Amino acid sequence: MNNESKTAWIISCKQQESGWLVNGNMSVPNDPANGHCGNILEWIADGNTPAPQYTEAEIAANAQ
């Protein structure tokens, strides 16, 4: 099985404090024992970049 088929299900990925939010509805911990974590690390190794945990707008809104 190639990486594309292992990671094709990842549509979006956003950093979280302890891992990632994938596809807007699935929290994946940064834990190598978690199979989804391995898929995300492969997705990143393939040149993809998770979105930051907070956007600039969210940071500005929280600062007020």
Side-chain angles (χ1 to χ4, degrees):
M1 183 183 287
N2 64 31
N3 282 356
E4 184 176 325
S5 59
K6 286 181 176 181
T7 62
W9 62 275
I10 302 172
I11 307 302
S12 66
C13 184
K14 185 175 183 178
Q15 293 176 346
Q16 290 188 313
E17 209 165 295
S18 62
W20 302 273
L21 178 65
V22 181
N23 299 339
N25 63 1
M26 184 168 124
S27 252
V28 177
N30 187 3
D31 177 0
N34 182 295
H36 292 304
C37 175
N39 293 152
I40 293 167
L41 294 174
E42 287 182 27
W43 180 81
I44 293 169
D46 288 342
N48 299 290
T49 304
Q53 183 170 1
Y54 300 108
T55 64
E56 293 292 329
E58 290 169 327
I59 293 169
N62 289 335
Q64 294 179 357

